[in-house]
Amino acid sequence: MNIQHVFFDLDHTLWDFDKNSDLTFEKVFSANNLKVDLNVFLEVYKPINFEFWKLFREEKVTKEALRYGRLKNSFDALNYTISDEVIGKMSVDYLTFLPDFNYLFDGTFEILDYLKEKYQLHIITNGFEEVQNKKMVSSNIYHYFDKIITSESVGVKKPNPKVFTYALDIAKANKDNSIMIGDNIEADIEGALSVGMQAIHCNFDNVSHHKSNLVSVSSLLEIKQYL
């Protein structure tokens, strides 16, 4: 591979979103005195949140609708009565508290140290701009990256090709010397491939897929086999 630039996704790729999010909700529930079993809530919330993020990537819901709707629909599914005012406070608390937690996937520092000596490293994320930088600072990985591109700064979201062409331009890179590493096949991998970049899928849960030509790793350190 004639690679000079490595672009990483952040959530679910380097930053352990599920673990940090669970801890955040524990803090949010305590701050708002909610009388709901947290584990029961999370079991309902996670698939609802997943669907809202899919709609968000597809430009079918706004950021505000995502932040409100994923909570409102979860409490409705649990038949738990809660005011819009409390949901609004929870949505703010969640994004405020989230960067306080800094669990990373195993091998994050080792692979970033390894790659930093050989390549320019960058981030491309669909996450909310106001929290992504805070997450990276809190988890002590911000300094590894030259450019940090958020979908909000572009105006569209991965897998829209505009995100990747914008990132290449900002990084002074080109598709032939760049590779994208991420967990989401649609947003990260297909998005990067659509503009001619190479890609590595972080398949940490070993989920089966039907793309036979897809380069896939089950841990971050396996990336060393390719870069």
Side-chain angles (χ1 to χ4, degrees):
M1 291 184 177
N2 180 33
I3 299 299
Q4 297 177 30
H5 296 267
V6 178
F7 294 84
F8 274 98
D9 175 50
L10 181 62
D11 295 334
H12 304 285
T13 299
L14 298 173
W15 198 78
D16 191 340
F17 182 89
D18 287 337
K19 190 169 191 175
N20 293 319
S21 180
D22 289 357
L23 292 168
T24 300
F25 269 117
E26 186 176 348
K27 189 172 179 179
V28 170
F29 271 44
S30 176
N32 290 277
N33 298 310
L34 296 183
K35 308 304 180 186
V36 182
D37 185 291
L38 179 60
N39 292 325
V40 173
F41 171 83
L42 291 174
E43 189 173 342
V44 170
Y45 169 83
K46 286 181 179 180
I48 290 174
N49 183 52
F50 181 86
E51 288 303 317
F52 264 97
W53 271 100
K54 185 173 187 299
L55 293 172
F56 185 62
R57 287 197 305 272
E58 296 169 352
E59 312 284 346
K60 293 178 180 177
V61 297
T62 64
K63 172 181 171 180
E64 291 72 24
L66 182 156
R67 290 174 55 178
Y68 171 81
R70 61 186 178 180
L71 293 172
K72 172 65 173 172
N73 289 9
S74 297
F75 286 118
D76 284 350
L78 293 170
N79 293 315
Y80 184 83
T81 302
I82 185 169
S83 69
D84 284 350
E85 181 181 2
V86 174
I87 289 178
K89 182 176 181 301
M90 285 182 65
S91 70
V92 172
D93 287 347
Y94 178 81
L95 294 181
T96 301
F97 299 155
L98 189 61
D100 294 342
F101 300 95
N102 53 23
Y103 284 96
L104 301 169
F105 284 106
D106 290 343
T108 294
F109 289 116
E110 184 176 340
I111 196 61
L112 292 178
D113 284 334
Y114 168 81
L115 294 173
K116 186 68 173 175
E117 293 184 358
K118 304 170 67 177
Y119 310 100
Q120 288 191 55
L121 307 183
H122 316 283
I123 289 284
I124 307 178
T125 174
N126 276 352
F128 300 149
E129 188 158 2
E130 67 264 34
V131 297
Q132 297 304 77
N133 286 344
K134 292 178 184 177
K135 289 177 184 177
M136 288 183 280
V137 171
S138 175
S139 57
N140 200 30
I141 60 172
Y142 184 88
H143 64 284
Y144 285 102
F145 302 101
D146 182 32
K147 301 298 181 184
I148 298 167
I149 296 94
T150 65
S151 60
E152 285 184 296
S153 68
V154 187
V156 292
K157 303 164 192 71
K158 296 180 293 183
N160 191 309
K162 291 181 181 178
V163 176
F164 297 93
T165 55
Y166 178 87
L168 291 171
D169 183 54
I170 290 293
K172 295 182 170 55
N174 63 66
K175 61 183 178 62
D176 297 320
N177 67 9
S178 301
I179 191 166
M180 179 71 197
I181 300 174
D183 71 291
N184 190 293
I185 290 180
E186 178 189 15
D188 300 316
I189 308 308
E190 292 181 350
L193 294 175
S194 73
V195 300
M197 295 172 65
Q198 298 178 63
I200 296 176
H201 177 223
C202 291
N203 188 12
F204 298 151
D205 296 324
N206 293 309
V207 177
S208 60
H209 51 72
H210 304 291
K211 299 184 182 298
S212 58
N213 61 340
L214 192 65
V215 176
S216 183
V217 296
S218 58
S219 71
L220 286 171
L221 294 184
E222 286 183 39
I223 293 169
K224 291 183 179 183
Q225 299 174 17
Y226 302 97
L227 292 171

